[in-house]
Amino acid sequence: MLSISCFVTKGDSVNDWVADYGRGSAALALAAVMLVSSFTVPFTVQYARESVPQEYWHTPTFRAVNRKISLLWAGALAVIGAGHLLAGKINPITSARHGSRPVDLILNWGVPIVVVLFLIKRTSQISDAAGAPA
């Protein structure tokens, strides 16, 4: 009979891995989902439909703009995920060092904040340009 104990690892290695690399891995997985959705039904479509009249939902421009924004967010999330993984490699949370953690602050907080602020601005620019008269 298979017992649950065969799925439990000895020691804290799994917990350490999750602490150091879980955030980055999750961000990269979400970026992959966003990337795939860009070529099927971009994840931004549901949000765009709240502010775009229904007669434009099936136009090539609407699809192109949503694909572009979805790809932008997927790429940015991949950058954020890579930063998280790099922070886990350079200065793991599970290390014995105590005190200030500038690598953690820069790669886990600074970079994501800057990237998201850029994304918000760029998303607005792309949306505005799509709505501008030709």
Side-chain angles (χ1 to χ4, degrees):
M1 177 172 187
L2 184 63
S3 71
I4 193 71
S5 64
C6 70
F7 295 108
V8 178
T9 60
K10 307 291 188 251
D12 292 328
S13 63
V14 172
N15 291 337
D16 289 351
W17 186 91
V18 169
D20 293 334
Y21 302 110
R23 179 185 347 209
S25 299
L28 289 176
L30 183 56
V33 169
M34 289 175 166
L35 178 65
V36 170
S37 83
S38 297
F39 297 102
T40 56
V41 178
F43 78 95
T44 57
V45 166
Q46 65 183 350
Y47 304 109
R49 286 182 175 167
E50 293 176 8
S51 61
V52 174
Q54 188 172 359
E55 63 262 19
Y56 298 109
W57 291 0
H58 300 290
T59 65
T61 301
F62 183 79
R63 287 181 170 172
V65 167
N66 279 286
R67 179 172 292 121
K68 187 174 187 176
I69 293 171
S70 292
L71 287 170
L72 178 71
W73 278 85
L77 199 56
V79 168
I80 291 170
H84 291 323
L85 292 177
L86 187 59
K89 182 70 174 169
I90 294 172
N91 193 4
I93 293 170
T94 56
S95 69
R97 292 177 279 175
H98 298 288
S100 67
R101 298 173 44 82
V103 171
D104 179 65
L105 181 65
I106 293 167
L107 293 175
N108 285 330
W109 290 96
V111 169
I113 288 170
V114 169
V115 168
V116 168
L117 290 174
F118 167 78
L119 285 171
I120 292 168
K121 181 179 179 180
R122 189 68 185 122
T123 298
S124 179
Q125 290 171 340
I126 293 168
S127 298
D128 291 347

